[in-house]
Amino acid sequence: MDKNKPVCVTGASGYIASWIVKDLLDKGFVVHATVRDSNKASSVAHLWKLAEGSKGTLKLFDADLIQPGSFKAAIEGCELVIHTASPFVIKGFTDPNEALIRPAVEGTENVLKSCNEVETVRRVVLTSSVASIYGDAVEILKAPGGIFTEQLWNNTSSEGHQPYSYSKVMAERKAWDVCKSQSRWDLVTINPSLVMGPSLTTQTQSTSIDVMRDLGSGRQRTGVPMLEFGVVDVREVATAHVLAGFDSNAEGRYILSAHTASLLQMATILRTRFPRYPLPTKQLPKFLVKLVAPIAAGVSREFIQKNVGYHLRFDNSRSVNLLGVKYRPLIETLCDHFAQMIDDGLLKRR
Ligand code: NAP
């Protein structure tokens, strides 16, 4: 990989991508950053600010996942394309196909078709997810060795059940299919669990921000279900994309997950630093959650049945031993994120 060539980052204004752009700019790269609307100051102002204080150069390009060919101009001249753009929403939509699946899958195909057309491209790093590895937490009971690894694929999500996870697995499958149809560029996927940690933008729709807001705002004061997540810091996720982009030995899928924690465990950690906040203090019994969740949270009983009450384990050894990712302690990730949300006015100062 020629480090003098520009690097394309799709969905550059997003929560994770902004940290990738920062990392590349700080290292002195020319970054071809795609956004949906480069004239929308609120989405891109933070990117210009990152560029000002860096050794690198930022160039913005307008591109939409569902517009065929719209990423080609940004990809021209790049050897490395980091494709992060994809909606990460789990509620607030009526048509999962239009909101999630179509932009994720068609969008990935559009980006990769342009990679096929641009002769300079040598590697694509795709932001996939552990949602592409498993669909529901209950699957941990059948995972070989009781742990989720890169060998596994989500075969249980659908448009009607876990549509976000479905969008991620279908997009990743599409990416591997397109990759196998040619030989000029190779594909590496980064499969993060729930990404937490400070955001460089307040404009993101990322569900990561909603999880933290729900914990700190008092919405979950009465209690939380026993829902466990793999958690990883956004800064490590960004570093992993850049490492995967330039390591000639990088190949295949990399789970990025540092810790597992339930919502209550996250709240308990946060309370040590933010004792005045109405963080949840108890776990609600599964039968009660199942009873109220469809009305109180718009979540199906099937989701509760298959996801509440299971302990998860993720094998992150490929990310540590092969990519060289160093994970920070969970308390630092959670507290930095919470503090940033207070500073940005997303949580009331108490
Ligand atoms: P985010 O801040 O909402 O970023 C999503 C990005 O996708 C935004 O930049 C958005 O662009 C772009 N996008 C959405 N629809 C688009 C469209 N039709 N055309 C062009 N761009 C579009 O969320 P994030 O958490 O950073 O997620 C980034 C990636 O990481 C996604 O692929 C997500 O699935 C993956 N991921 C996230 C997590 C997590 O916990 N956050 C975990 C695993 C994987 P605009 O700003 O222009 O709307």
Side-chain angles (χ1 to χ4, degrees), residues 12-245:
S13 56
Y15 171 51
I16 294 174
S18 296
W19 278 103
I20 299 173
V21 170
K22 178 176 169 18
D23 200 332
L24 290 167
L25 288 172
D26 287 347
K27 290 187 165 77
F29 284 94
V30 176
V31 181
H32 287 190
T34 80
V35 292
R36 262 187 281 192
D37 182 1
S38 58
N39 291 316
K40 194 172 159 198
S42 57
S43 294
V44 298
H46 70 287
L47 295 178
W48 288 122
K49 212 165 145 206
L50 291 175
E52 270 170 33
S54 79
K55 292 186 283 181
T57 307
L58 178 72
K59 293 186 182 169
L60 289 188
F61 295 77
D62 286 349
D64 195 305
L65 289 168
I66 52 174
Q67 287 290 324
S70 70
F71 288 86
K72 193 172 173 193
I75 293 170
E76 295 281 1
C78 298
E79 288 192 352
L80 172 60
V81 175
I82 301 181
H83 176 39
T84 81
S86 202
F88 181 27
V89 287
I90 53 169
K91 55 189 176 192
F93 53 82
T94 46
D95 182 347
N97 191 48
E98 283 305 307
L100 288 165
I101 300 157
R102 188 169 161 232
V105 182
E106 265 186 45
T108 298
E109 193 172 17
N110 286 335
V111 169
L112 297 182
K113 269 187 181 164
S114 294
C115 291
N116 282 347
E117 287 162 14
V118 176
E119 292 286 314
T120 47
V121 177
R122 297 276 169 273
R123 172 161 294 172
V124 175
V125 177
L126 171 76
T127 317
S128 188
S129 170
V130 293
S132 180
I133 283 172
Y134 77 102
D136 292 298
V138 65
E139 290 159 37
I140 194 70
L141 302 179
K142 289 195 179 147
I147 190 162
F148 290 131
T149 68
E150 287 93 349
Q151 306 294 318
L152 301 172
W153 284 88
N154 173 356
N155 290 314
T156 58
S157 298
S158 65
E159 189 173 328
H161 176 69
Q162 301 272 43
Y164 167 70
S165 302
Y166 187 60
S167 78
K168 293 308 287 180
V169 67
M170 295 311 282
E172 192 188 326
R173 284 191 184 281
K174 174 64 72 183
W176 285 111
D177 284 349
V178 180
C179 176
K180 280 175 195 144
S181 69
Q182 55 77 57
S183 58
R184 179 173 22 82
W185 51 268
D186 60 10
L187 177 68
V188 179
T189 71
I190 300 296
N191 297 64
S193 56
L194 178 64
V195 182
M196 305 292 266
S199 177
L200 296 166
T201 170
T202 53
Q203 295 301 310
T204 164
Q205 283 195 310
S206 177
T207 296
S208 295
I209 315 303
D210 295 342
V211 172
M212 198 52 113
R213 193 189 285 120
D214 286 352
L215 280 176
S217 65
R219 245 193 108 221
Q220 296 175 327
R221 191 193 304 248
T222 48
V224 278
M226 194 302 209
L227 257 185
E228 206 168 88
F229 297 92
V231 182
V232 59
D233 194 286
V234 67
R235 293 161 286 194
E236 270 83 86
V237 174
T239 306
H241 281 79
V242 178
L243 289 169

